[in-house]
Amino acid sequence: MAPRVALLAGAVVLLLAAGAARASNDEGDALYALRARMSDPNGVLQSWDPTLVNPCTWFHVTCDHASRVVRLDLGNSNISGSIGPELGRLVNLQYLELYRNNIGGEIPKELGNLKNLISLDLYANKLTGSIPKSLSKLKSLRFMRLNNNKLAGSIPRELAKLSNLKVIDLSNNDLCGTIPVEGPFSTFPLRSFENNSRLNGPELQGLVPYDFGC
Amino acid sequence: MLVVVAAAATTTSFLLLLLLTSAGAVAGGCKPEERDALLAFKDGIREDPAGLLASWQLRGGELMTQDDCCRWRGVRCSNRTGHGHVHVVKLDLRNDRDDDAEAAALAGEIGHSLASLQHLKHLDLSMNNLMGSTGHLPEFLGSLRSLRYLNLSGIRFSGMVPPQLGNLSNLQYLDLSITVTAHIHQEDQSMAPQLPLLYSMDLSWLSHLSSLQYLNLDGVNLSSVLDWPHELNMVPSLKILSLSSCSLQSANQHLPQLSLTKLEMLDLSNNHFNHPAEFSWIWSLTSLKYLNLSSTSLYGQIPNALGDMLSLQVLDFSYNDEEDSMGRSVSKRSNMCTMEVNLKNLCNLQVLDLDYRLSNGSITEIFERLPQCSPNKLKEIHLASNNLTGVLPNWIGKLTSLVTLDLFNNNITGQVPSEIGMLTNLTNLYLHFNHLDDVLTEKHFAHLTSLKSIYLCNNSLTIVVDPEWLPPFRLEKAYFASCLLGPKFPAWLQSQVDIVAIAMNDAGIYDTFPNWFSTTFSKATVMEISCNQIGGELPTNMENMSLERLFLDSNQISGQIPQMPRNLILLDISHNLITGHVPQSICGLQNLDGLDLSNNLLEGEFPLCSEMRNMSFLRISNNSFFGNFPSFLQGWTELILLDLSWNEFSGSLPTWIGNFSKLEFLLLKNNMFSGNIPDSITKLRKLTHLDLASNRMSGAIPQYLSNFTAMIEKHSAVNHEERLSGCDYKSVVTVKGQELVYDEENVTLVTIDLSSNLLTGAIPEDIVSLVRLINLNLSRNYLSGEIPYMIGKMQSLESLDLSTNKIHGEIPPSLADLTSLSFLNLSYNNLTGRIPSGTQLGTLVDLHPYDGNDGLCGPPLQENCSSKDASSMIRNKHVSGFDICPFSLGVVLGYIAGLWLVYCTLLFRKSWRVAYFCFLDNVYDNVCVIAAVCWAKLTGRTGERSQMSEVAWSMDSEDEEEEALQRPY
């Protein structure tokens, strides 16, 4: 028991500040929950220490001056696993860069809570399921790249409400139905939607049902 | 644990007694053939550092008595072995040097000649290096048929346990254990997984040992013996069985008939049984007094059968996973149990250890199920780190035998029952890291006459006692951190003269040090009173105290540094109001390893401490020290962290700075160091933090940055053992445009910050080899040349700031390969050509990283590339004629001096200033930048430099300045 007690003495010193500060660190907890879902062979999440006051010194995480998480940069990091609903708690997030990994599972509808999100890059993963309608709540969104996944279902027509959307890429999925034509969709080139074998071209309002072929 | 040792000792001495009674007095001397056998054995010993076998020699051939091997050390003979002959019956060459076993160990082999000692009953060669050249446990030992006692423990044999040992039918005691502590064992596995160890694939030979009472095979690899319980079940005479760390696979075999009815002690610790606890046959061993299942991966509900093990005195079912520094909770989750078993009838239970074992539970309910016999024998309860909730019951006062109560790191709420004050035997009370919320008074301690250790930290506890209170105990370890003890320095501590370690951080003490401080705490070696509001001067007469680690940081201590305790290893008095010079006496602290004087009001030159060669940590930042880079540091070759930042040091950096072969942190920012960065700096192979920002360093960045190997190779987790525990390896880093405080205990941020200097020349191309570099800040210098073309190789880079330099050429396309980049600033350079594109770079455009580079074109800029090319070429030519390089610093400074009158006026009227500088053309541009930098430095230093907001402010205003200056092209 002696070494244990010695360790405790050390722990008392080291963990002193940690215990109290943790309770109010919701963004850190949300990120740590993401870490728990991920397999991380390259150890890119190794610095994510939940006992720190906030996640601002974790690698691949960026905060603003008020210590709110604004960026998550994990592109090309060889991580696998799934994205959980807890990411929706990062309400200050502006850039979610998870492209070129092996992430599977569905896109959680809770990502629609990221009302400050500017860039949603989930391309080149193994995502399944459909594109959640809730993403139409991302009013600040400028970039949405979900290409090269295994997404199915139709493109939520509500995405046409994203007036700031500059770039969309949904190519190389398994989407079906037709492509919205309103709002920003009026300017997107067709190659943003190519290689979705069941996608039937731009919407023909009144002539063909929106999710024709789904 | 004491109980265990006692129990083991009893059984062992019983066995010894048995053997010794048969070995009577010796007459007539030993038989020549046995003597020769012993001498032949001695020939096999290569080393005998302790001279154990010095008496083993033939002196005069005629005098039989002198050659009598029965008188040799470690040898005993007996004439009662039958037929009236004298025979060697005992050979005991155990190496019992506990402190330094290697120093006394015999080395060599166990010679075959011992086979002649056919009457040998007792053979103990333990803890020696007698593996021989083969490393195998000799088979011939199986022919010593008289053996009752065989102890070969601690001999690191490899290979198979010879089944010939099954011929030793008289054997009562067999110990082949390899004592590896759990810690070393784990290390071995990770570092040398192929380490050959003793193993057995078949234990059926054990069934021939019908008298065997003691069997210890700790550390012998039995992973192939899947049916080990059946094999052991064939030895019903067993009383003590120890199979710790044997790589046993499971303990859930079907045993219809359990014949181990005499078994009293069973140790199966450190075996990774990965199955539910309730499927094990272990709980049927109702004769057990001692059961050790610690660090076995049994999980699930602890079965009710435990409640029927009525003989049980000690149950160790703890899980010891301290070594798993990362992902500890993950590994723990699979080994967790729940406990609903009723222990009420276990009247003999003395020790219950379930540390780190339970997944959840209520302390109230567990206490209700504890033995409630009268008298209650429970001495130790260990329930640390079990996520327990609930409150402590009032009847805790009935556990009258209790010596240790360990409830560390749970979620226990409510009050501390005052009945705890009745426990007159209570010696160790560990309640730290819970949610207890109470005011403790004299009543809680009323009869705790035995109390030695009390850990209450990290609860919401307040201790309120009468100022005249005289405690009934004499504490040795007192950890009260975060308990409210103030506002006065607790007067009752004056009686606690036995204190060895005390922590009262964050205890709400608004007071000065009492005058009895140095005498009362004269035995203390560790003291932490950080984060209070203690004012006044440091205590006097401290030099005779025993203190080794003293933490008084973050108080309001004023006055000068007095004579310090002479045994100090660590001293942290940072974040106080300490004034004056550092006294020469501090250099006399021979053992000092770490010193933190940062954030005080100290001034002058640091004393010449050339003798302190053990120092690994020196932090004196944020004071007003001046002078050259301290020359005495040349001898401090053990340094790991050197932080001189935010002082007034000047002069050049010495070339011997490259000799700090262990240096990881070199933090010199915000001083007035000048001259070149010595090339030798790249000899710092361990360096991970290089911060020379805001100095006056000139010349080129050293070549051969690829010598910084710690910035290239992947770090294994930082070894805390090598670094000082207790020293604060936090570092403030300017990264991503912010000042962040990095805690370097677990991770290492690799950073180079040379910003705000006068550096010239190109960025060395081989900087791209620093693939672990996360932060690179070279902004606000006079760097020219191009951005290294292969910059995309720096895969860890998260923050890159090259702004406000003279860098020209195109932005390398490989910049787009930096997928972790989350901050980029290339503004105010002379970059040209098309801006590379890519997902990651696209997310960085809101930072305006390309501003102030007139030659850049393409998205995200409005500038169209085709129209741009021609004009930018012309512009570049124009600018390159006025590079800073030809200017000597003297000329520049002279120029500033000339302008000073005008300039001073301008400083205070920003609108004029901007207007004035608007007239200056590119020729004067460089001068302005220098002036602005100097100005920012001056204003930054006159205020309260320690204030972070102030720092940020001076940085901001610097930004503003330069933008204002640079815009008018």
Side-chain angles (χ1 to χ4, degrees), chain B residues 346-579:
Chain B
L346 301 189
C347 291
N348 292 308
L349 195 65
Q350 297 179 20
V351 176
L352 175 66
D353 189 343
L354 297 173
D355 282 354
Y356 295 86
R357 176 61 71 176
L358 304 178
S359 60
N360 57 57
S362 155
I363 187 72
T364 326
E365 288 171 18
I366 289 178
F367 265 72
E368 275 165 14
R369 298 191 203 108
L370 288 179
Q372 294 177 359
C373 318
S374 185
N376 200 308
K377 291 185 183 170
L378 255 184
K379 286 183 177 167
E380 298 185 24
I381 300 177
H382 299 271
L383 292 167
S385 294
N386 282 325
N387 282 325
L388 299 178
T389 54
V391 297
L392 291 168
N394 292 335
W395 62 265
I396 197 166
K398 290 185 184 163
L399 296 171
T400 48
S401 302
L402 207 58
V403 173
T404 298
L405 178 62
D406 184 357
L407 304 176
F408 159 67
N409 195 24
N410 283 292
N411 299 316
I412 302 170
T413 51
Q415 302 187 327
V416 179
S418 61
E419 286 79 359
I420 213 165
M422 321 265 282
L423 302 174
T424 50
N425 290 309
L426 192 66
T427 309
N428 308 302
L429 178 61
Y430 307 123
L431 299 176
H432 49 314
F433 285 84
N434 275 291
H435 302 302
L436 295 164
D437 188 350
D438 201 359
V439 177
L440 304 187
T441 63
E442 292 93 334
K443 203 178 169 199
H444 288 87
F445 306 104
H447 302 287
L448 298 180
T449 49
S450 306
L451 197 65
K452 296 270 186 250
S453 298
I454 181 165
Y455 290 56
L456 298 179
C457 0
N458 283 62
N459 284 287
S460 302
L461 294 174
T462 305
I463 299 178
V464 179
V465 290
D466 189 278
E468 306 288 313
W469 179 56
L470 204 61
F473 46 70
R474 294 267 285 265
L475 295 176
E476 290 172 5
K477 292 181 179 176
Y479 285 82
F480 297 122
S482 85
C483 295
L484 217 56
L485 294 176
K488 287 282 176 199
F489 200 100
W492 60 269
L493 282 175
Q494 189 175 358
S495 63
Q496 302 300 304
V497 294
D498 290 340
I499 278 200
V500 176
I502 182 165
M504 297 193 291
N505 338 12
D506 199 14
I509 302 172
Y510 292 74
D511 202 353
T512 54
F513 291 105
N515 55 17
W516 42 265
F517 183 92
S518 305
T519 39
T520 292
F521 299 129
S522 63
K523 290 186 191 167
T525 57
V526 179
M527 177 177 288
E528 299 192 43
I529 318 186
S530 317
C531 303
N532 284 287
Q533 301 283 329
I534 297 177
E537 301 200 3
L538 285 161
T540 49
N541 303 321
M542 290 174 77
E543 63 267 30
N544 290 324
M545 296 177 76
S546 314
L547 281 168
E548 294 175 358
R549 289 155 198 268
L550 177 60
F551 303 88
L552 300 175
D553 50 295
S554 303
N555 279 290
Q556 307 279 336
I557 302 167
S558 56
Q560 305 205 358
I561 301 175
Q563 288 248 328
M564 284 292 170
R566 60 172 67 95
N567 296 327
L568 274 181
I569 295 171
L570 273 179
L571 174 62
D572 185 350
I573 49 174
S574 64
H575 294 271
N576 278 295
L577 305 168
I578 298 168
T579 51

Side-chain angles (χ1 to χ4, degrees), chain B residues 797-811:
Chain B
L797 212 55
E798 294 191 24
S799 179
L800 174 64
D801 191 347
L802 304 178
S803 64
T804 318
N805 276 293
K806 300 274 159 198
I807 301 168
H808 66 261
E810 299 197 359
I811 301 174

Side-chain angles (χ1 to χ4, degrees), chain A residues 66-87:
Chain A
S67 301
R68 297 175 301 199
V69 175
V70 293
R71 297 186 66 104
L72 182 56
D73 294 287
L74 287 168
N76 211 13
S77 298
N78 198 19
I79 49 174
S80 54
S82 64
I83 313 170
E86 61 277 347
L87 264 197

Side-chain angles (χ1 to χ4, degrees), chain A residues 57-166:
Chain A
T57 56
W58 296 4
F59 300 159
H60 306 281
V61 174
T62 305
C63 293
D64 62 7
H65 286 276
S67 301
R68 297 175 301 199
V69 175
V70 293
R71 297 186 66 104
L72 182 56
D73 294 287
L74 287 168
N76 211 13
S77 298
N78 198 19
I79 49 174
S80 54
S82 64
I83 313 170
E86 61 277 347
L87 264 197
R89 279 154 47 197
L90 299 172
V91 289
N92 302 295
L93 200 66
Q94 296 176 7
Y95 299 91
L96 179 54
E97 309 301 320
L98 300 177
Y99 57 88
R100 275 188 245 135
N101 285 297
N102 296 308
I103 301 171
E106 302 196 1
I107 302 175
K109 63 176 190 304
E110 287 79 3
L111 291 192
N113 300 337
L114 306 178
K115 57 182 189 299
N116 293 303
L117 202 66
I118 293 171
S119 173
L120 176 62
D121 284 315
L122 305 179
Y123 67 84
N125 277 295
K126 293 173 178 164
L127 294 168
T128 55
S130 57
I131 302 172
K133 281 190 180 63
S134 61
L135 297 187
S136 64
K137 294 192 288 178
L138 302 174
K139 294 297 174 208
S140 312
L141 202 67
R142 294 210 297 262
F143 307 94
M144 179 194 282
R145 283 171 283 229
L146 309 178
N147 50 296
N148 295 70
N149 278 295
K150 295 171 185 168
L151 296 169
S154 60
I155 301 169
R157 197 188 234 155
E158 293 82 352
L159 294 183
K161 290 192 287 184
L162 295 173
S163 56
N164 287 311
L165 201 60
K166 297 277 182 303

